[in-house]
Amino acid sequence: MINKRLLIKNLLAHNDENSFYDKKRQLNLHTREGKAKFLKHICALSNSNPMNNSYIVVGVEDQDNEIVGDDFFDDSRIQNLINAFLENPPKIQYENVPFPNLPKDKVIGLVTIKPNNKISFFKKTIHTIPAKTIFIRRGSNTMPVENNEEIPSSIKTKNQNTETVISIENNSRNSIAHTLEGVIDFMNNRHKDMNPRYHVFKELFVVCWAGNKKKIREKTFFSRVDIELINEQVKLFYSALDEVTIEYDDRTFSITEYVPLGLNDKTSYYPLEKVTLHFYDNGYYKMNSELLFEPPEYNRKMLYHIYNSNLSLIGKLQKSLPLSERENKDLENLPSTLMICFLNGFEEAKQKLIDAKLLLKAHENPTVYVSFKEVMRILRKVKYGKNNE
């Protein structure tokens, strides 16, 4: 079992980016340009390292390898984005890895690209990348291959990276010491005031979780939840706002996420997604996700007035006009309100929210931008959960 924190450290220590490894300050999957850049790197790394795992490390400064972190990204359906645009798409996995020096809401993202043995290329156009484009890595650069250019033979055969990648992965294997240190740190240091708990599955896997506990209509919820698979140093779930329920037995650990939504200060909890980890005797585990979300429906005439009020609020931000106390309160709810409008047929509401990102980020109340990020996370889940692109 690979300790992902050790793996990231070993990757960062291995010279610079190359044909099996890339690093990014952050990913932006809100825009088609950001998606195109991400897909381009996936395509290139898969083609240039067909016999081994390839990796992208997210949350690292390019110049000096400083570990600065990025937001928790839990889109388990990011594979759907890869499948939608790439022919012969590689299998990928995105994991959130906590580091001791980072704030608790920041992690390092680790994208693992599985060996493919086929040439990946774009099957349809996105942003400025035309269909049928092939990308490869030359050193630390991602380059397009012209249609009439011969694919390098290194793509078609076992390449020189195999021994290096195997060595890095072997040096990143977990140990009992790493596991014990991880449990002690989680329980006694990072979450000692948030009802921390742990459970051992199949005498091998250790899951730790913590959160603020509360009961709503006889149901126990946890908020500000942090859940980690200690063996691999992977953060399974983190949310600053949402509520979750947790269930487990000897073989499974399940997280059901709920989203508080409402208008005019009337909020209800709607189940969003259930994630279940299945643990097996052979040291293997798998994670299954089930989208549960059924958005609330509202009167369209009422939503029309609310939608226009929110657009007016964005207009005030654009003009740097002062907001009343009530408008500041409405601003905190603006992201979730525009999401409700979008889910009820106001097609432009999502783009209006994305366009307002920098205004919300610059606002003096940090809750406004946290709400924006939470809403975008939910919309990604809903979008890819329905296999739509």
Side-chain angles (χ1 to χ4, degrees), residues 257-270:
E257 180 182 358
Y258 290 77
V259 182
L261 287 177
L263 298 172
N264 300 324
D265 299 325
K266 295 180 180 179
T267 300
S268 297
Y269 287 86
Y270 297 86

Side-chain angles (χ1 to χ4, degrees), residues 39 44 62 75 195 197 330 381:
L39 290 164
D62 189 48
D75 196 337
N195 191 35
R197 300 187 64 182
D330 290 341
K381 282 179 178 288

Side-chain angles (χ1 to χ4, degrees), residues 104 184-197 209-213 222-224 226:
K104 62 182 180 181
I184 292 170
D185 181 54
F186 188 99
M187 302 289 291
N188 295 342
N189 298 327
R190 288 186 285 141
H191 299 296
K192 61 182 179 180
D193 298 324
M194 294 181 66
N195 191 35
R197 300 187 64 182
W209 68 96
N212 294 325
K213 190 176 179 179
F222 295 89
S223 61
R224 300 179 60 85
D226 191 2

Side-chain angles (χ1 to χ4, degrees), residues 295-322:
E297 296 182 3
Y298 291 91
N299 178 275
R300 188 170 179 84
K301 185 176 180 180
M302 179 186 69
L303 279 182
Y304 181 78
H305 291 294
I306 293 174
Y307 178 60
N308 284 332
S309 296
N310 277 268
L311 295 187
S312 297
L313 197 54
I314 292 174
K316 280 195 168 185
L317 290 179
Q318 290 171 331
K319 297 174 183 178
S320 300
L321 297 176

Side-chain angles (χ1 to χ4, degrees), residues 27-41 80-81 84-86 122-131 135 350-351 354-355 357 376 380 383-384 388-389:
L27 297 180
N28 178 13
L29 299 183
H30 295 157
T31 65
R32 291 184 71 81
E33 180 182 4
K35 291 176 183 177
K37 288 180 178 179
F38 176 67
L39 290 164
K40 176 179 71 173
H41 294 303
N80 291 4
L81 174 65
F85 285 95
L86 295 185
F122 281 75
K123 61 184 178 184
K124 58 183 179 180
T125 299
I126 179 171
H127 191 52
T128 59
I129 302 175
F135 286 94
K350 179 180 176 182
Q351 190 58 50
I354 293 173
D355 293 343
K357 174 184 176 181
M376 295 309 302
R380 282 197 305 270
K383 181 177 184 179
Y384 294 128
N388 290 328
E389 176 48 45

Side-chain angles (χ1 to χ4, degrees), residues 1 201-202 204-205 232 278-286:
M1 197 175 299
F201 297 88
K202 298 298 181 180
L204 180 61
F205 302 96
E232 296 192 354
H278 299 266
F279 299 99
Y280 300 93
D281 291 322
N282 61 358
Y284 171 74
Y285 76 94
K286 68 177 181 180

Side-chain angles (χ1 to χ4, degrees), residues 2 74 105 113 260 350 355:
I2 293 180
D74 69 342
D105 61 334
I113 305 161
K350 179 180 176 182
D355 293 343

Side-chain angles (χ1 to χ4, degrees), residues 96-163:
N96 299 275
V97 184
F99 271 70
N101 62 310
L102 294 177
K104 62 182 180 181
D105 61 334
K106 297 294 182 182
V107 293
I108 298 297
L110 179 66
V111 182
T112 302
I113 305 161
K114 304 293 184 180
N116 194 17
N117 290 314
K118 293 181 180 179
I119 303 300
S120 295
F121 61 91
F122 281 75
K123 61 184 178 184
K124 58 183 179 180
T125 299
I126 179 171
H127 191 52
T128 59
I129 302 175
K132 300 193 182 302
T133 302
I134 301 171
F135 286 94
I136 61 170
R137 296 276 290 187
R138 290 193 175 122
S140 62
N141 296 317
T142 296
M143 310 287 292
V145 175
E146 300 298 333
N147 288 336
N148 59 355
E149 182 179 341
E150 178 67 18
I151 303 296
S153 58
S154 63
I155 295 179
K156 301 177 181 178
T157 60
K158 184 175 181 179
N159 60 25
Q160 67 273 19
N161 290 331
T162 299
E163 290 186 5

